[in-house]
Amino acid sequence: RSFSDFVEKYWLFAAVPLAAALLCFGFAALLRRIVGIRTRELKRTLENERRLRREAQEADERYRRLLRVGLLGQLSTMFAHEIRQPVGAILAYVQGLRNFCASGSLTPEMSEGVLAKINAQAERVSDIVERVRLYARTDAVDRITTDLRDVVDEAVGPFKRFEGKIILEPPASSEKFTVRVSPLEISIALHNLMQNAVDALASAGTADPRITIRIERTEERLAVVVSDNGPQLTQDEVARMTAPLHTTKSSGMGLGL
């Protein structure tokens, strides 16, 4: 009877720790279950992220391959556009040599000078070919540090036989215009601008045709400005200028600018 009295009197003190222990065990089991569920969900999430990352990389690679295929088509057209000038110059120099030979007026000095010009144009062709190959392989561009005036002078060289005037406005100071560029790319860009000016002046029959080239400095930038005294472009022509394959010339390809 004394034991039953003890239990009856103190059962609450025993039940509380027991209940607390049962709650702890139950909470621990629940916590393990929740942790297991969260762990499995985290694993699935990580697996999905890895899968999505792989799919994104594969899609990016496919996209880059498609871009490369399209780029190669553009490069082949660009090559055809840019190669015409040096090849045309070589043919003109060769024809000049033939004419001098036929007339018997060809001297060793003249021959050496013309051959040097042919060699320079052949090297330009080689540079253009290498540039197209570089673009096909990578987006990287080789740049060198040079004086922008030297690049401009080289670009103007082929136009010395232009029937009008080519005016190279001297800079306001004698400082060097040091830039880090691809000289070939800048030369090609300037050549296209000047060729457009020559063609526009010829087609319009402009009296006293003039092309002016000057270098301007604006804060940390340098600008090469090519202008002519030919007919002005309309607003519609200006708006269409940067559209690929658009041209106002019968023999143009719409790729220069």
Side-chain angles (χ1 to χ4, degrees):
R1 179 174 174 79
S2 61
F3 178 75
S4 60
D5 291 340
F6 176 81
V7 171
E8 184 178 353
K9 186 176 182 178
Y10 296 106
W11 71 270
L12 185 60
F13 294 99
V16 170
L18 181 60
L22 290 175
L23 285 174
C24 287
F25 283 123
F27 180 74
L30 179 62
L31 185 61
R32 282 196 298 270
R33 179 175 176 81
I34 293 174
V35 169
I37 293 173
R38 293 289 187 268
T39 301
R40 288 192 294 272
E41 291 177 350
L42 180 60
K43 287 182 178 179
R44 285 195 296 269
T45 300
L46 292 175
E47 290 174 357
N48 287 335
E49 286 183 356
R50 285 193 289 267
R51 177 178 57 81
L52 291 174
R53 192 178 297 114
R54 287 195 301 269
E55 291 177 356
Q57 290 175 347
E58 292 172 359
D60 184 63
E61 290 175 1
R62 289 194 297 271
Y63 178 67
R64 287 179 179 274
R65 284 197 294 269
L66 289 174
L67 282 181
R68 187 68 66 194
V69 171
L71 177 62
L72 290 175
Q74 295 177 24
L75 290 175
S76 62
T77 309
M78 183 191 78
F79 175 78
H81 180 271
E82 302 302 340
I83 211 72
R84 289 189 306 171
Q85 189 275 328
V87 170
I90 290 173
L91 293 175
Y93 289 138
V94 170
Q95 185 59 47
L97 278 176
R98 287 177 175 172
N99 293 338
F100 282 123
C101 287
S103 65
S105 59
L106 182 64
T107 64
E109 291 77 13
M110 292 172 58
S111 176
E112 183 65 27
V114 174
L115 289 175
K117 293 179 180 179
I118 291 176
N119 183 73
Q121 294 301 321
E123 289 180 352
R124 183 177 178 84
V125 170
S126 178
D127 289 342
I128 293 174
V129 171
E130 184 58 32
R131 175 61 57 185
V132 172
R133 291 182 58 198
L134 178 64
Y135 279 140
R137 293 196 305 266
T138 176
D139 295 332
V141 177
D142 292 331
R143 294 180 173 88
I144 64 171
T145 301
T146 184
D147 190 336
L148 186 56
R149 282 182 293 193
D150 295 337
V151 181
V152 172
D153 289 341
E154 182 178 354
V156 171
F159 294 91
K160 289 181 178 178
R161 298 179 64 184
F162 171 55
E163 294 181 357
K165 294 180 181 178
I166 293 184
I167 304 169
L168 281 172
E169 291 189 355
S173 64
S174 59
E175 65 175 321
K176 282 190 175 183
F177 294 101
T178 304
V179 290
R180 186 166 180 79
V181 297
S182 166
L184 177 63
E185 289 184 346
I186 301 300
S187 179
I188 288 175
L190 291 174
H191 178 272
N192 278 290
L193 289 172
M194 295 184 66
Q195 187 62 56
N196 285 348
V198 170
D199 294 340
L201 292 168
S203 62
T206 303
D208 188 26
R210 295 188 308 276
I211 300 174
T212 303
I213 304 101
R214 67 180 183 275
I215 300 175
E216 294 181 351
R217 180 184 294 279
T218 56
E219 296 181 355
E220 295 183 355
R221 293 181 178 273
L222 291 173
V224 181
V225 181
V226 179
S227 59
D228 62 72
N229 62 337
Q232 292 186 347
L233 293 173
T234 65
Q235 290 299 322
D236 290 339
E237 288 172 332
V238 172
R240 293 195 299 266
M241 269 200 320
T242 56
L245 306 182
H246 171 74
T247 181
T248 58
K249 297 186 290 187
S250 59
S251 61
M253 299 178 67
L255 290 169
L257 293 180

